[in-house]
Amino acid sequence: MAEMEVVSRHRCFGGTLTVYAHQSAATRTRMTFSAFVPPGDGPFPIVTFLSGLTCTEQNFTTKAGAYRSAAERGLVVVAPDTSPRGEGGADDPAYDLGQGASFYVDATEAPWAPHFRMHQYVTEELYELCEHLLPIDPARHGLFGHSMGGHGALVLGLRHPDQYRSLSAFAPICHPTACPWGEKAFAAYLGSDRSTWAAWDATERIRAAGDRSAAPPILVDQGLADGFLAEQLRPDDLASACAAVGQRLQLRKHEGYDHSYYFIATFVDDHLAHHAALLG
Amino acid sequence: MAEMEVVSRHRCFGGTLTVYAHQSAATRTRMTFSAFVPPGDGPFPIVTFLSGLTCTEQNFTTKAGAYRSAAERGLVVVAPDTSPRGEGGADDPAYDLGQGASFYVDATEAPWAPHFRMHQYVTEELYELCEHLLPIDPARHGLFGHSMGGHGALVLGLRHPDQYRSLSAFAPICHPTACPWGEKAFAAYLGSDRSTWAAWDATERIRAAGDRSAAPPILVDQGLADGFLAEQLRPDDLASACAAVGQRLQLRKHEGYDHSYYFIATFVDDHLAHHAALLG
């Protein structure tokens, strides 16, 4: 296992919240993530949260208010950074490309390919680090996220159904190949050949799937005052694809809620309940 | 009433969280505060939270995780900035003096006196703004805070018992005239004549009070892994003073907890319960 640096550690709701840093083999940069371990001995189920554009691991960790519920439910909660940083070199001045904006793919194009491998980082390296570092039962691992990280949670979960037994998302980018954020990022990271994009798009993966009526239900919360809803997020595209293949989807639309962490905080307990129920 | 600028507004736990800005008559600067209003019609009891050194109104607002409990209990929660800012002019490069470090006194000394009047701001101007702006019952107003703001809550509450019917604090600076933070700030804001300092010190005010056995109980939480505990916070001084005059004090010491907002988040529901019970 990589050498782990403890960046910070706090007692919190009877458990422990630690921020770790380590040199990543997947991204070939220093990566950070937070891990909340509830009181008790474990092994605990675990949920990994993927954050949105511009975030680090700190946004969810400090603002989501998730740990009271996680402590009560006996869940480990892990939140990684959203991209390689710093010495990874490649970046872009825009907020929606490069550092803070990985879209959780494995980039194939220059200058991103050497470092922007967040799919591999999350599903292999971080997944295995959690198994070795934390008192978890790796057979009970769920995935959730927000916005770009909601896209990440859905698509990584759909790509690795044996690893992630429960999925949910807050205001996810549901159909990245059909929205400006996704088209820009996928063109940069995956190249101009759109035939490679569908594998990284939750709506397209579900649409192309066979019968999914036996798959676990997915929970998606969406605020109706979210300024990104119509152009970037497109939850109805996901709902149509799910309906076509029998994928159970609980898509909840909330009057007055926006894209912020206040929206996440309001509903995070429902998400942890969803994961706890599916992870047993 | 001063003209109020709505800086931001978010739906949150069924209620509304608004950050207001206004030109303050007390500090003669622009001041900001956040206000959470729970779902329902009110009038609601209100609790005002005073933050610690280096904070703005954002620290508590984004990190304390207080609004789920406030929504359930039907409490309005207001959190002001910790000092005048910007055009107030006077400042100091140290983190523990000047902007972000008002200590909630009314300064008498240059260069602070014209603007650093946070006692007046909180107990008069903000208090009256809340009454006019928010669906509250001003007869049911509580005060709490953290560290420097814990000192502020205790001393402002003790100075204005008819205004604030419930008091609590997280890791307060209990005895500022006997710790380095307080001595430095009081010397700067109040001058070298220490006889003026006791009026701004919760421990000294309680020690000098008559019988306080009829006063409402005060709740104080303190983490035992708090690096500021012995030198700066001195909760046992407060406990001794309370014991001498019959002031009921629930001083809870928590193994492993530090000075951070993770400590506050862990126990904030207990504080809101304390206030809700006393405010009726």
Side-chain angles (χ1 to χ4, degrees), chain A residues 9-15 17 58 61-63 65 67-68 255-258 260 262-263 265-269, chain B residues 9-15 17 58 61-65 67-68 255-258 260 262-263 265-269:
Chain A
R9 178 165 283 166
H10 300 277
R11 182 69 61 86
C12 180
F13 294 105
L17 176 69
Q58 286 297 306
T61 303
T62 60
K63 300 201 288 187
Y67 302 129
R68 176 181 298 277
E255 200 71 53
Y257 284 87
D258 60 26
S260 72
Y262 297 110
F263 160 66
T266 299
F267 298 107
V268 72
D269 180 49
Chain B
R9 178 164 284 165
H10 299 277
R11 182 71 58 88
C12 181
F13 294 105
L17 177 69
Q58 286 297 307
T61 303
T62 60
K63 300 201 287 189
Y67 303 129
R68 176 181 298 277
E255 199 72 52
Y257 284 87
D258 60 26
S260 72
Y262 297 111
F263 159 67
T266 300
F267 299 107
V268 72
D269 179 50

Side-chain angles (χ1 to χ4, degrees), chain B residues 235-254:
Chain B
D236 294 335
D237 293 4
L238 179 69
S240 297
C242 288
V245 298
Q247 169 66 52
R248 288 173 289 170
L249 172 69
Q250 186 177 17
L251 171 58
R252 308 191 304 183
K253 298 180 178 178
H254 302 282

Side-chain angles (χ1 to χ4, degrees), chain A residues 1-274:
Chain A
M1 191 171 74
E3 194 175 340
M4 302 302 295
E5 174 194 345
V6 172
V7 175
S8 65
R9 178 165 283 166
H10 300 277
R11 182 69 61 86
C12 180
F13 294 105
T16 307
L17 176 69
T18 308
V19 174
Y20 294 98
H22 66 104
Q23 189 62 25
S24 164
T27 68
R28 294 189 264 176
T29 64
R30 185 174 188 262
M31 291 295 297
T32 54
F33 63 93
S34 72
F36 174 75
V37 175
D41 291 330
F44 303 104
I46 173 172
V47 283
T48 293
F49 184 90
L50 304 181
S51 291
L53 287 167
T54 77
C55 291
T56 70
E57 84 289 342
Q58 286 297 306
N59 300 65
F60 176 84
T61 303
T62 60
K63 300 201 288 187
Y67 302 129
R68 176 181 298 277
S69 171
E72 289 169 359
R73 298 180 188 283
L75 289 168
V76 165
V77 182
V78 165
D81 198 356
T82 56
S83 77
R85 303 271 177 190
E87 73 272 42
D91 198 9
D92 187 279
Y95 76 98
D96 56 358
L97 193 67
Q99 297 184 23
S102 72
F103 278 77
Y104 302 99
V105 301
D106 290 336
T108 55
E109 303 303 298
W112 312 105
H115 300 289
F116 277 68
R117 303 189 59 79
M118 284 296 288
H119 163 262
Q120 183 189 347
Y121 175 72
V122 171
T123 63
E124 297 179 18
E125 188 169 11
L126 179 63
Y127 188 86
E128 288 162 21
L129 278 175
C130 290
E131 186 174 347
H132 290 94
L133 192 65
L134 304 172
I136 63 159
D137 175 1
R140 294 188 289 160
H141 199 141
L143 200 55
F144 67 149
H146 173 229
S147 194
M148 176 185 75
H151 142 72
L154 295 174
V155 84
L156 271 50
L158 292 167
R159 290 174 73 108
H160 301 279
D162 296 339
Q163 282 186 221
Y164 303 109
R165 283 176 41 194
S166 56
L167 298 179
S168 74
F170 300 92
I173 301 172
C174 291
H175 199 177
T177 62
C179 79
W181 276 340
E183 289 181 311
K184 176 180 176 178
F186 284 11
Y189 298 140
L190 305 173
S192 56
D193 177 4
R194 285 181 170 243
S195 70
T196 66
W197 294 8
W200 300 101
D201 182 309
T203 293
E204 295 300 329
R205 285 193 76 95
I206 286 179
R207 186 177 285 161
D211 175 37
R212 287 190 56 87
S213 58
I218 297 170
L219 171 63
V220 171
D221 276 315
Q222 176 62 57
L224 292 176
D226 184 330
F228 303 116
L229 173 54
E231 186 180 20
Q232 303 283 12
L233 304 177
R234 303 182 69 115
D236 294 335
D237 293 4
L238 179 69
S240 297
C242 287
V245 298
Q247 169 66 52
R248 288 173 290 170
L249 172 71
Q250 186 177 19
L251 171 59
R252 307 192 305 182
K253 298 180 178 180
H254 302 282
E255 200 71 53
Y257 284 87
D258 60 26
H259 201 64
S260 72
Y261 266 85
Y262 297 110
F263 160 66
I264 296 176
T266 299
F267 298 107
V268 72
D269 180 49
D270 293 348
H271 284 246
L272 295 179
H274 167 84

Side-chain angles (χ1 to χ4, degrees), chain B:
Chain B
M1 191 171 72
E3 194 175 338
M4 303 302 295
E5 174 195 346
V6 172
V7 176
S8 65
R9 178 164 284 165
H10 299 277
R11 182 71 58 88
C12 181
F13 294 105
T16 307
L17 177 69
T18 307
V19 174
Y20 295 98
H22 65 104
Q23 188 63 25
S24 165
T27 69
R28 293 189 263 176
T29 65
R30 185 175 187 260
M31 291 296 297
T32 54
F33 63 92
S34 72
F36 174 75
V37 175
D41 291 329
F44 303 103
I46 173 173
V47 283
T48 293
F49 183 89
L50 304 181
S51 291
L53 288 167
T54 78
C55 290
T56 71
E57 83 290 342
Q58 286 297 307
N59 300 65
F60 176 85
T61 303
T62 60
K63 300 201 287 189
Y67 303 129
R68 176 181 298 277
S69 171
E72 289 170 358
R73 298 181 188 283
L75 289 168
V76 166
V77 182
V78 165
D81 198 356
T82 56
S83 78
R85 304 272 176 188
E87 72 272 41
D91 198 9
D92 188 280
Y95 76 99
D96 55 359
L97 194 67
Q99 296 185 21
S102 71
F103 278 77
Y104 302 99
V105 301
D106 290 337
T108 56
E109 304 302 298
W112 311 105
H115 300 289
F116 277 68
R117 304 189 58 78
M118 283 297 288
H119 162 262
Q120 183 189 347
Y121 174 71
V122 171
T123 63
E124 297 178 18
E125 188 168 10
L126 179 63
Y127 188 87
E128 287 162 22
L129 278 175
C130 290
E131 186 175 346
H132 290 95
L133 192 65
L134 304 172
I136 63 160
D137 175 0
R140 295 188 287 160
H141 199 140
L143 200 55
F144 67 150
H146 172 230
S147 194
M148 176 184 76
H151 143 73
L154 295 174
V155 84
L156 270 51
L158 292 166
R159 290 174 72 108
H160 301 279
D162 296 338
Q163 281 186 221
Y164 302 110
R165 284 176 42 194
S166 56
L167 299 179
S168 74
F170 300 91
I173 301 173
C174 291
H175 199 177
T177 62
C179 78
W181 275 341
E183 290 181 309
K184 176 179 177 178
F186 284 12
Y189 299 140
L190 305 173
S192 57
D193 176 5
R194 285 182 171 242
S195 69
T196 66
W197 294 10
W200 299 103
D201 182 309
T203 293
E204 296 299 330
R205 285 192 79 95
I206 286 179
R207 186 178 283 161
D211 173 41
R212 286 190 57 87
S213 58
I218 297 170
L219 171 63
V220 171
D221 277 315
Q222 176 62 55
L224 292 176
D226 183 328
F228 302 116
L229 172 53
E231 186 181 19
Q232 304 282 13
L233 304 177
R234 303 180 69 112
D236 294 335
D237 293 4
L238 179 69
S240 297
C242 288
V245 298
Q247 169 66 52
R248 288 173 289 170
L249 172 69
Q250 186 177 17
L251 171 58
R252 308 191 304 183
K253 298 180 178 178
H254 302 282
E255 199 72 52
Y257 284 87
D258 60 26
H259 202 66
S260 72
Y261 267 85
Y262 297 111
F263 159 67
I264 295 175
T266 300
F267 299 107
V268 72
D269 179 50
D270 294 349
H271 284 247
L272 295 178
H274 166 84
H275 290 276
L278 289 172
L279 298 175

